[in-house]
Amino acid sequence: MTDSTANNGIDARTAPYAALILRVGLGLLFLAHGLVLKVMTFGVAGTVGFFESLGYPGFFAYLVILGEIGGGLLLIAGAYTRWIALALLPIMIGATLQHAGNGWVFNAPNGGWEFPAFWTALLAVQALLGDGAFAVKVPALTAPATAARRPEAA
């Protein structure tokens, strides 16, 4: 075992780039799903109508559209990655539950549940991994390092 994989088998040199690839991939999926599918393909009114046809209040559609587009952009940027991934979990859990009765395969009529379930799992992984490489940091909102957290202070 090398120094970079000691203790857990994860290569500390490449893990930030793996988190970056996952983060940008998730962000692009959310952006495409919210903007291209819900806004540009179905239209906002069509999406609201679809949500209402499922028995959900129409305003949920606006929350989901905002969550998918805003969350996607923030994931791509790497801003507040853990929090954004956690905030998007209810959307994907809801999507998984909505598709659960359609069967396993996503090309089943009305879509299966495996893709939203996998997407949910990926969000959980991203929340555990954190930002990864090339993430936007907002200094005013970043917690200051304490003496206990800084190795050089020990």
Side-chain angles (χ1 to χ4, degrees), residues 17-147:
Y17 301 103
L20 164 71
I21 293 167
L22 178 60
R23 187 187 84 225
V24 171
L26 284 169
L28 289 171
L29 281 172
F30 273 108
L31 188 59
H33 206 258
L35 183 61
V36 176
L37 180 68
K38 289 186 172 69
V39 175
M40 296 170 67
T41 303
F42 298 141
V44 174
T47 303
V48 169
F50 177 70
F51 273 61
E52 291 174 338
S53 77
L54 298 173
Y56 296 112
F59 77 89
F60 276 21
Y62 295 101
L63 296 175
V64 170
I65 290 168
L66 178 64
E68 289 184 355
I69 295 172
L73 290 170
L74 288 168
L75 283 174
I76 291 167
Y80 314 107
T81 302
R82 290 180 198 269
W83 292 110
I84 298 303
L86 291 172
L88 290 169
L89 277 173
I91 292 173
M92 292 315 302
I93 291 169
T96 302
L97 294 173
Q98 187 58 47
H99 289 282
N102 301 338
W104 166 252
V105 183
F106 199 72
N107 66 358
N110 299 315
W113 58 268
E114 89 288 348
F115 183 66
F118 184 62
W119 204 346
T120 303
L122 291 177
L123 283 171
V125 170
Q126 187 71 67
L128 292 169
L129 284 173
D131 298 333
F134 307 110
V136 171
K137 304 288 186 208
V138 182
L141 300 175
T142 304
T146 62

